[in-house]
Amino acid sequence: MLAVDQKSLSRSVASPVRPALEGVQAYKAGMTLAEAARLAGRQDLSKLASNENLLGPSPRVAAAVTAAALNPEIYPDPYCETLRAAIGGRLGVDAGRIVVTPGSEALIDYLFRAVLHPSDSVLLSSPTFPAYQIFGRCAEAAFIDVPRLANFDLDVPAFAAEAAKGPKLLVLCTPNNPTGNAMTAAEVEAILAATPTTTLVFVDEAYREYHQAFDAFALLDAWGGPWVSARTFSKAYGLAGLRVGYGVCSSVELVGYLDRIRPPFNVTAVSQAAALAAWDDVEHLERTVALTIAERGRVEAALDAMGVERVASQANFVFLRAAAGPDVVATRLLHEGIIVRPTPVPGGWVRITIGRPADNDRLIAALPAALAL
Ligand SMILES: *Cc1c(COP(=O)(O)O)cnc(C)c1O
């Protein structure tokens, strides 16, 4: 009796948390190696679920990390001056227009909190990266979702029509996660042409290194409103574990506002040093990107030979239809030691990262049985 009373009592105590958080689902990350090892009962795993670059970062990163780790008692540079100067130098952008963040996810969080009032509108196109919904809902934004076409391309006329109404924030993800397809310059231009300069345009270019279709900064500057282009060291640069992303912003002022909302020492000294070493090794970047693209062609050819429906990917992953069901296929592959990402996209779609050649060999060998009906 007492237990029952206490239970109802604890339920009647109001939650201290903002009601907006009740409707938010925490980000569902890909399976960790430890979790997969436990479920699969094996250690020899190919982790193809989180779009990491399994070829790894530049070999220069290890020495940079070791050197930076010698003085852990010292706070990191809160403005990442050296890294921003290096990034700005190569991109031809004033370093004052760059903000470095612990992963580009953090940039999404800071930016959305900086600009969104409750019930401000965010225009996006599903299926896309879940972080926009997560951080937007935390900021109590309202979403306008223009669903993608059957082939997952953006419905440009419908999207431009909504953009013309002046949402507070507009999100373009290209190449898009989880579908892998990219926008053309003409599509971006058509949307920007319809968008009033009171809207903030957020372009997520996490996979840009795999597909440099257009000069995003030039298109956005020509449009003339406020914008942020988000990029990351987590994918092609091979530093997902160290959490470094950056945003190039339309103005130094916008960076100043993000500096107010972000924690001051949010990018560790080790992470800054690793990112700088990775940034400076252009040759390594180009080599791993070229290998990943070649390997993607090999995986796509195998899928085509099996008659599997897929999206033409411009990123370091493939997006394919699993008629047997995404969870069934993911479970079968896990038993073969391959971790992939089932998605909730209607029709039953699975996202699979392009790994090292041996990972991809193993994937190609396992796919026919895994995809069987
Ligand atoms: C992976 C990814 C990110 C986040 O990467 P960080 O590790 O936080 O830098 C952002 N956007 C898209 C579309 C991604 O796929």
Side-chain angles (χ1 to χ4, degrees):
M1 197 59 201
L2 185 63
V4 170
D5 282 344
Q6 289 202 335
K7 223 170 148 191
S8 59
L9 184 69
S10 72
R11 260 202 225 104
S12 71
V13 173
S15 165
V17 171
R18 288 164 44 221
L21 270 59
E22 301 298 345
V24 178
Q25 287 226 320
Y27 181 71
K28 199 168 169 291
M31 212 177 271
T32 61
L33 280 169
E35 190 183 357
R38 189 173 51 75
L39 288 172
R42 56 196 294 171
Q43 302 291 333
D44 60 327
L45 297 165
S46 290
K47 189 172 185 293
L48 306 181
S50 299
N51 299 343
E52 294 133 332
N53 179 1
L54 299 187
L55 297 163
S58 162
R60 298 181 197 171
V61 166
V65 163
T66 305
L70 288 176
N71 294 102
E73 68 280 13
I74 306 297
Y75 277 111
D77 173 0
Y79 291 101
C80 303
E81 298 285 4
T82 312
L83 180 57
R84 285 163 74 208
I87 294 171
R90 194 159 91 223
L91 297 183
V93 173
D94 173 4
R97 285 172 58 187
I98 298 170
V99 61
V100 179
T101 56
S104 50
E105 279 168 348
L107 175 61
I108 299 169
D109 177 27
Y110 304 157
L111 180 70
F112 282 29
R113 281 195 287 126
V115 305
L116 295 171
H117 293 92
S119 79
D120 272 351
S121 53
V122 176
L123 173 60
L124 47 66
S125 187
S126 288
T128 191
F129 192 52
Y132 319 129
Q133 289 265 356
I134 293 171
F135 293 122
R137 287 189 189 285
C138 288
E140 302 183 46
F143 283 87
I144 305 159
D145 191 348
V146 175
R148 286 170 181 265
L149 302 170
N151 68 357
F152 299 112
D153 279 348
L154 209 70
D155 184 342
V156 174
F159 197 88
E162 287 300 331
K165 296 178 190 166
K168 186 65 180 289
L169 209 151
L170 174 162
V171 179
L172 298 175
C173 182
T174 180
N176 185 51
N177 181 4
T179 56
N181 52 333
M183 297 178 70
T184 64
E187 288 175 325
V188 175
E189 279 175 319
I191 288 164
L192 292 176
T195 307
T197 51
T198 45
T199 295
L200 189 144
V201 173
F202 180 75
V203 186
D204 190 332
E205 301 190 271
Y207 301 96
R208 175 179 179 82
E209 292 79 10
Y210 297 100
H211 182 70
Q212 317 217 355
F214 49 80
D215 182 344
F217 306 158
L219 294 184
L220 290 158
D221 274 337
W223 164 63
W227 56 266
V228 176
S229 158
R231 299 178 178 192
T232 182
F233 285 87
S234 298
K235 305 289 161 57
Y237 284 94
L239 291 181
L242 290 178
R243 315 302 305 124
V244 190
Y246 63 96
V248 176
C249 301
S250 50
S251 69
V252 173
E253 289 71 32
L254 186 49
V255 172
Y257 289 115
L258 297 174
D259 283 341
R260 295 180 199 186
I261 212 161
R262 71 176 174 85
F265 302 106
N266 54 349
V267 183
T268 71
V270 168
S271 298
Q272 292 183 37
L276 183 64
W279 179 261
D280 282 340
D281 195 347
V282 176
E283 202 243 310
H284 177 85
L285 177 77
E286 288 176 350
R287 195 154 22 88
T288 57
V289 164
L291 179 53
T292 300
I293 290 173
E295 286 289 299
R296 184 183 71 203
R298 207 160 65 82
V299 172
E300 289 185 334
L303 292 170
D304 291 348
M306 283 185 273
V308 178
E309 197 181 334
R310 65 170 176 86
V311 177
S313 173
Q314 308 293 349
N316 67 340
F317 55 87
V318 289
F319 192 61
L320 57 106
R321 192 161 144 138
D327 292 311
V328 170
V329 169
T331 303
R332 287 174 181 166
L333 287 171
L334 183 58
H335 287 295
E336 298 304 317
I338 303 164
I339 318 170
V340 302
R341 185 75 74 99
T343 77
V345 174
W349 293 79
V350 175
R351 194 192 70 194
I352 307 181
T353 307
I354 303 301
R356 295 158 293 196
D359 299 304
N360 308 326
D361 285 343
R362 189 181 194 191
L363 173 71
I364 289 168
L367 274 174
L371 291 172
L373 289 174

Coordinates of all heavy atoms in Angstrom, one line a residue, residues 51 102-106 108 129 132 173 177 204 206-207 232 234-235 243-245, ligand 1:
N51 N 29.3 6.1 -41.0 CA 29.9 6.9 -42.1 C 31.3 7.5 -41.7 O 31.7 8.5 -42.1 CB 29.0 8.0 -42.5 CG 27.7 7.5 -43.1 OD1 27.6 6.3 -43.5 ND2 26.7 8.4 -43.2
P102 N 32.7 21.4 -31.3 CA 33.0 19.9 -31.1 C 32.1 19.1 -32.0 O 31.1 18.5 -31.5 CB 32.8 19.8 -29.6 CG 31.9 20.9 -29.2 CD 32.1 22.0 -30.2
G103 N 32.4 18.9 -33.2 CA 31.5 18.3 -34.2 C 30.5 19.3 -34.8 O 30.2 20.3 -34.1
S104 N 30.1 19.0 -36.0 CA 29.1 19.9 -36.6 C 27.7 19.8 -35.9 O 26.9 20.7 -36.0 CB 29.0 19.8 -38.1 OG 28.9 18.5 -38.5
E105 N 27.5 18.7 -35.2 CA 26.2 18.6 -34.5 C 26.1 19.7 -33.5 O 25.1 20.3 -33.3 CB 26.2 17.3 -33.7 CG 25.8 16.1 -34.5 CD 26.1 14.8 -33.7 OE1 26.8 14.8 -32.7 OE2 25.7 13.8 -34.2
A106 N 27.3 20.1 -32.8 CA 27.2 21.1 -31.9 C 26.9 22.5 -32.5 O 26.2 23.3 -32.0 CB 28.6 21.2 -31.1
I108 N 25.0 22.9 -35.1 CA 23.6 22.9 -35.3 C 22.9 23.3 -34.0 O 22.0 24.2 -34.0 CB 23.1 21.5 -35.8 CG1 23.7 21.0 -37.1 CG2 21.5 21.5 -35.9 CD1 23.5 19.6 -37.4
F129 N 19.1 14.3 -42.1 CA 19.8 14.1 -40.8 C 18.9 14.5 -39.6 O 18.4 15.5 -39.6 CB 21.1 15.0 -40.9 CG 22.1 14.7 -39.8 CD1 22.6 13.4 -39.6 CD2 22.6 15.7 -39.0 CE1 23.5 13.2 -38.6 CE2 23.5 15.5 -38.0 CZ 24.0 14.2 -37.8
Y132 N 18.6 18.1 -37.0 CA 17.9 19.3 -37.2 C 16.5 19.3 -36.4 O 16.1 20.2 -35.8 CB 17.6 19.6 -38.7 CG 18.7 19.2 -39.6 CD1 18.5 18.4 -40.7 CD2 20.0 19.7 -39.4 CE1 19.6 18.1 -41.6 CE2 21.0 19.4 -40.2 CZ 20.8 18.6 -41.3 OH 21.9 18.3 -42.2
C173 N 20.8 19.8 -46.9 CA 21.9 18.9 -46.6 C 22.3 18.2 -47.9 O 21.5 17.5 -48.5 CB 21.3 17.8 -45.6 SG 22.6 16.6 -45.1
N177 N 22.3 13.0 -45.9 CA 22.3 11.8 -45.1 C 20.9 11.6 -44.6 O 20.3 12.5 -44.1 CB 23.2 12.1 -43.9 CG 23.3 10.9 -42.9 OD1 22.8 9.8 -43.2 ND2 24.0 11.1 -41.8
D204 N 24.3 22.0 -44.8 CA 25.1 21.0 -44.1 C 25.9 20.2 -45.2 O 25.4 19.5 -46.0 CB 24.2 20.0 -43.3 CG 25.0 19.1 -42.5 OD1 26.1 18.7 -42.8 OD2 24.4 18.6 -41.4
A206 N 28.5 18.0 -44.6 CA 29.3 17.0 -43.9 C 30.1 16.1 -44.9 O 31.2 15.6 -44.5 CB 28.5 16.2 -42.9
Y207 N 29.5 15.9 -46.1 CA 30.2 15.0 -47.0 C 30.8 15.7 -48.2 O 31.0 15.1 -49.3 CB 29.1 13.9 -47.5 CG 28.6 13.1 -46.3 CD1 27.4 13.5 -45.7 CD2 29.3 12.1 -45.7 CE1 26.9 12.8 -44.6 CE2 28.9 11.4 -44.6 CZ 27.7 11.8 -44.0 OH 27.3 11.1 -42.9
T232 N 32.8 19.2 -41.4 CA 33.3 18.4 -40.3 C 34.6 17.6 -40.6 O 34.9 17.3 -41.7 CB 32.2 17.4 -39.9 OG1 32.6 16.6 -38.8 CG2 31.9 16.4 -41.0
S234 N 34.8 14.8 -39.1 CA 34.4 13.4 -38.6 C 34.3 12.4 -39.8 O 34.3 11.2 -39.5 CB 33.0 13.5 -38.0 OG 33.0 14.3 -36.8
K235 N 34.1 12.9 -41.0 CA 33.8 12.0 -42.1 C 35.1 11.8 -42.9 O 36.0 11.0 -42.5 CB 32.7 12.5 -42.9 CG 31.4 12.7 -42.0 CD 30.7 11.5 -41.5 CE 29.8 11.6 -40.3 NZ 28.7 12.5 -40.5
R243 N 35.9 14.8 -32.3 CA 34.8 15.8 -32.3 C 35.3 17.2 -32.7 O 35.4 18.1 -31.9 CB 34.2 15.8 -30.9 CG 33.8 14.5 -30.3 CD 32.9 13.7 -31.1 NE 31.7 14.3 -31.4 CZ 31.3 14.5 -32.7 NH1 32.0 14.0 -33.7 NH2 30.1 15.1 -33.0
V244 N 35.5 17.4 -34.0 CA 35.7 18.7 -34.6 C 34.9 18.9 -35.8 O 35.0 18.2 -36.8 CB 37.2 18.9 -34.9 CG1 37.5 20.4 -35.2 CG2 38.2 18.4 -33.8
G245 N 34.2 20.0 -35.8 CA 33.5 20.5 -37.0 C 33.7 22.0 -37.1 O 34.3 22.6 -36.2
Ligands
LIG1 C1 27.8 13.0 -39.6 C2 27.0 14.2 -39.9 C3 27.1 15.4 -39.1 C4 27.8 15.4 -37.8 O1 29.0 15.2 -37.7 P1 29.9 15.6 -36.5 O2 30.6 14.4 -36.1 O3 29.0 16.2 -35.4 O4 30.8 16.7 -37.0 C5 26.4 16.5 -39.5 N1 25.6 16.4 -40.6 C6 25.5 15.3 -41.3 C7 24.6 15.3 -42.5 C8 26.2 14.2 -41.0 O5 26.0 13.0 -41.7

